[in-house]
Amino acid sequence: MTPVQQEVDAVIVGAGFAGLYMLHRLRGLGLSARVFEAGDGIGGTWYWNRYPGARCDVESMDYSYSFSDELQQEWRWTERYAAQPEILRYINHVADRFDLRRDIQLKTRVVEAIFDEAASRWEIRTDRGDAVSARFCIMATGCLSEPQLPPPFPGLETFEGRWYHTGRWPHEGVDFTGQRVAIIGTGSSAIQSIPVIARQADHLYVFQRTPNYSIPAHNRPLDPEHERRVKANYGEFRRAARVSRVGFVVKSTDTPALSISPEERDREYEERWQRGGLGFGFSFPDLLVDERANETAAEFFRNKIRSIVRDPAVADLLAPRDYPIGTKRMCVDTNYYDTFNRDNVTLVDLRRTPIDTIMPKGLRTSEREFAVDAIVFAIGFDAMTGALSRINIRGRGGETLHQKWAAGPRTYLGIAVAGFPNLFMITGPGSPSVLSNMIVSIEQHVDWIADCLTYLGQRRGEAIEASLEAEEAWVAHVNEVGNATLYPRANSWYTGANIPGKPRTFMPYIGGVGAYRQACDAVAADGYRGFRISPS
Ligand code: N01
């Protein structure tokens, strides 16, 4: 591919759900755009995460674009929770249906975006030598797109078997039949893949540092009656999602957990456990703010684990104790706990016996050696800031985003950054993003950015930039709301705790999707309050 030298209205970085819809909207505004995508296919998260069992934990009828009624009416999901291949097919269908591919350049990583103050343009460079000058630079780089690589374990280079990261799974798949396999990590990716790998492997060793709370998905073929009902009223269904707390509608109540009897509480928990999915976290309004209320849900969970896992010592190890339920991302599984009843699965407690080193034939903990043929690292991502921090982004005065965020990300609304004019982030830190149905949050940001560019055009503005005061006030608000909850109590990727050396700060905005949307809309209605527009 010959490197391009080009001038466009906008560069979009990333061709996942966010980048594709942004491109579609910019075209609608008559703006020229070029999308750069590191992968050799579109789809972002759903392109890379092909590990066994990969599946969305938001229901299919919710986890899809709402911007085109024709699209949402014609597309047919097959399951309650769609598996990765089906979501990737959907994204590819959208790209074809809206003729998006002609502006997307694959296998190209943006390495640099530098703001030229004199020209008021972004100069963007890629790893293939492209140099593109754009008025707007829009980061659609994803929140969980930068895997923790290389895995931080000594001796990995000596390992003679094959190793994999769940977030960079080989496209041809992996057959573990007859192999002894180690999997490190017990987050969402591990919890989905462990039951599948256990069915294939000769033996599976699960290396757990922190147990997670996981709820059954009760996945099943999509109920045609449910599909018909939703499609008959999709507009209202979507509207309700947009003003909801997390971007999909969940049954909720105003009754605090501690105001009712233990039996009534457990009935509610049991009902939600039987329904399956993330709705469990909304059983009572005080679960994420009152430790004692939270403990009632946590104990319900621990009892469930004890009732499923036959070996009491293994059940005990799988039962989380040292952080409130919901403050690390809850997992949604199919047969996770039950998998530990299999003879070919061994749980290893890394808190008691940490990994010393990886060796040519396996790995060694402080207690013993494990001979394995393959290692699966399900160790997660440098979340929310990882993808952005790997691009050399320089704003006014040559300040890098990396420098600006040295003590943690600072944004206005999770969309813009003071000192970086005409740079936008889709679902950036400081917005609900990972605490919501991502598609709802993506569409909200893309629409907001498109409206903002329209406004700028109408005012004949050259550039729009968040003010430092507005940014500071928003960061303080994000922290205040986060600190009023139990979230900061957990060592989670929400706070950067999973990446050694990463500043600790609660990165997403917990105020709720509906309330956040209102705040963004109010800023726009007030002539983009908190932004400065420079004339052309
Ligand atoms: O990553 P994670 P993930 N030594 O960070 C452990 C979304 N997602 O890829 O908890 C030993 O959650 C780490 O231990 P600890 C979803 O938002 C969604 O599973 O840090 N262990 C943890 O157990 C999710 O939350 C879906 O002590 C180490 C695990 O590795 C997010 O992506 C599916 C370690 C990492 O868990 C990330 O999920 C998959 C070390 N050095 C993902 N470093 C669905 O939609 C890390 N760990 C269903």
Side-chain angles (χ1 to χ4, degrees):
M1 206 189 305
T2 321
V4 295
Q5 305 251 332
Q6 200 182 15
E7 290 205 357
V8 287
D9 292 317
V11 157
I12 299 168
V13 187
F17 270 108
L20 294 186
Y21 181 44
M22 191 75 244
L23 173 60
H24 179 66
R25 285 301 317 265
L26 291 183
R27 283 212 193 136
L29 297 180
L31 297 175
S32 60
R34 188 158 192 91
V35 183
F36 290 110
E37 164 57 53
D40 62 6
I42 61 167
T45 287
W46 300 104
Y47 171 84
W48 296 107
N49 287 270
R50 299 168 187 241
Y51 59 82
R55 184 180 291 290
C56 190
D57 58 10
V58 174
E59 295 192 29
S60 310
M61 297 305 286
D62 289 282
Y63 194 82
S64 50
Y65 287 123
S66 71
F67 69 82
S68 157
D69 193 46
E70 294 79 22
L71 172 67
Q72 67 185 6
Q73 292 296 337
E74 76 196 12
W75 183 264
R76 299 208 62 185
W77 297 104
T78 62
E79 293 178 278
R80 178 184 182 191
Y81 294 101
Q84 175 270 336
E86 187 171 28
I87 300 175
L88 194 57
R89 272 201 302 282
Y90 170 76
I91 297 174
N92 277 282
H93 167 77
V94 172
D96 291 333
R97 196 186 190 291
F98 296 94
D99 185 27
L100 299 176
R101 293 188 201 273
R102 62 189 156 88
D103 289 322
I104 302 172
Q105 185 172 322
L106 301 173
K107 291 195 230 173
T108 308
R109 184 173 288 279
V110 168
V111 293
E112 191 171 274
I114 297 191
F115 186 63
D116 175 343
E117 286 184 62
S120 194
R121 291 187 76 83
W122 284 93
E123 303 302 329
I124 287 130
R125 289 180 191 284
T126 75
D127 62 352
R128 301 176 71 107
D130 308 292
V132 178
S133 170
R135 208 170 139 213
F136 305 106
C137 180
I138 302 175
M139 296 297 183
T141 41
C143 299
L144 292 154
S145 46
E146 194 59 48
Q148 188 177 187
L149 280 173
F153 298 94
L156 180 58
E157 67 289 353
T158 68
F159 184 57
E160 290 171 1
R162 301 286 303 272
W163 65 265
Y164 312 92
H165 188 294
T166 46
R168 288 287 179 275
W169 203 257
H171 288 196
E172 63 280 12
V174 182
D175 183 1
F176 291 111
T177 306
Q179 297 192 24
R180 296 157 302 173
V181 182
I183 183 163
I184 300 176
T186 46
S188 294
S189 303
I191 280 176
Q192 290 189 325
S193 45
I194 283 167
V196 183
I197 298 176
R199 288 201 297 273
Q200 266 183 15
D202 188 45
H203 201 96
L204 179 63
Y205 297 98
V206 177
F207 292 85
Q208 171 186 275
R209 185 163 72 180
T210 312
N212 236 310
Y213 295 94
S214 187
I215 185 147
H218 298 311
N219 187 38
R220 53 180 174 260
L222 189 65
D223 172 9
E225 181 47 29
H226 173 62
E227 181 187 7
R228 196 198 55 73
R229 260 187 282 114
V230 171
K231 285 190 170 175
N233 209 3
Y234 229 150
E236 175 51 27
F237 184 85
R238 301 294 198 182
R239 193 205 60 77
R242 288 184 198 116
V243 298
S244 70
R245 196 167 169 76
V246 286
F248 54 92
V249 175
V250 214
K251 183 187 150 215
S252 60
T253 160
D254 291 334
T255 312
L258 298 178
S259 68
I260 55 175
S261 71
E263 294 73 26
E264 284 174 290
R265 253 191 329 256
D266 280 355
R267 249 200 314 280
E268 184 66 30
Y269 292 143
E270 181 64 35
E271 194 185 297
R272 288 180 189 254
W273 178 278
Q274 294 307 335
R275 192 178 308 142
L278 294 168
F280 186 92
F282 303 87
S283 306
F284 298 104
D286 46 350
L287 289 190
L288 285 167
V289 289
D290 182 328
E291 218 165 332
R292 287 187 314 131
N294 188 286
E295 179 55 22
T296 64
E299 186 55 18
F300 174 88
F301 244 85
R302 291 191 283 262
N303 284 332
K304 278 289 180 197
I305 297 169
R306 287 181 202 116
S307 74
I308 301 169
V309 179
R310 286 197 288 272
D311 181 334
V314 175
D316 202 47
L317 213 52
L318 286 167
R321 274 189 191 76
D322 59 359
Y323 63 96
I325 184 169
T327 56
K328 278 166 101 85
R329 176 64 143 67
M330 269 182 71
C331 304
V332 179
D333 72 90
T334 300
N335 297 331
Y336 177 60
Y337 294 117
D338 200 33
T339 297
F340 292 90
N341 291 327
R342 295 177 66 101
D343 292 339
N344 71 334
V345 176
T346 305
L347 183 63
V348 182
D349 178 8
L350 290 183
R351 293 240 183 254
R352 199 175 60 78
T353 60
I355 293 170
D356 277 350
T357 188
I358 294 178
M359 306 177 308
K361 303 282 182 218
L363 41 84
R364 191 176 69 223
T365 66
S366 59
E367 189 175 62
R368 57 164 278 207
E369 289 181 6
F370 295 85
V372 296
D373 306 298
I375 305 177
V376 175
F377 294 100
I379 56 176
F381 301 85
D382 183 352
M384 308 205 68
T385 56
L388 291 169
S389 71
R390 279 157 182 83
I391 304 172
N392 178 23
I393 304 171
R394 288 177 187 267
R396 278 191 199 287
E399 183 188 30
T400 66
L401 193 67
H402 197 66
Q403 286 162 343
K404 167 138 186 164
W405 286 5
R410 306 182 68 75
T411 71
Y412 182 33
L413 301 174
I415 299 177
V417 184
F420 295 76
N422 284 356
L423 178 91
F424 298 92
M425 290 168 298
I426 301 173
T427 64
S431 73
S433 62
V434 293
L435 297 173
S436 70
N437 174 355
M438 286 300 298
I439 313 288
V440 170
S441 289
I442 284 170
E443 287 193 328
Q444 186 239 333
H445 269 188
V446 168
D447 289 338
W448 192 95
I449 293 166
D451 290 348
C452 176
L453 299 191
T454 305
Y455 181 86
L456 193 63
Q458 287 162 352
R459 297 280 172 301
R460 300 199 182 289
E462 180 70 37
I464 185 162
E465 178 183 354
S467 74
L468 203 51
E469 303 74 53
E471 181 180 274
E472 274 170 9
W474 184 253
V475 170
H477 176 58
V478 170
N479 287 332
E480 185 191 354
V481 182
N483 289 334
T485 71
L486 301 175
Y487 273 98
R489 304 271 182 94
N491 291 321
S492 67
W493 57 255
Y494 293 137
T495 65
N498 64 327
I499 300 295
K502 189 164 174 171
R504 291 288 287 271
T505 160
F506 186 67
M507 294 184 283
Y509 177 59
I510 183 70
V513 165
Y516 170 78
R517 172 183 294 269
Q518 266 183 11
C520 290
D521 288 351
V523 164
D526 207 4
Y528 292 85
R529 179 177 10 102
F531 285 89
R532 256 196 315 268
I533 294 179
S534 29
S536 46

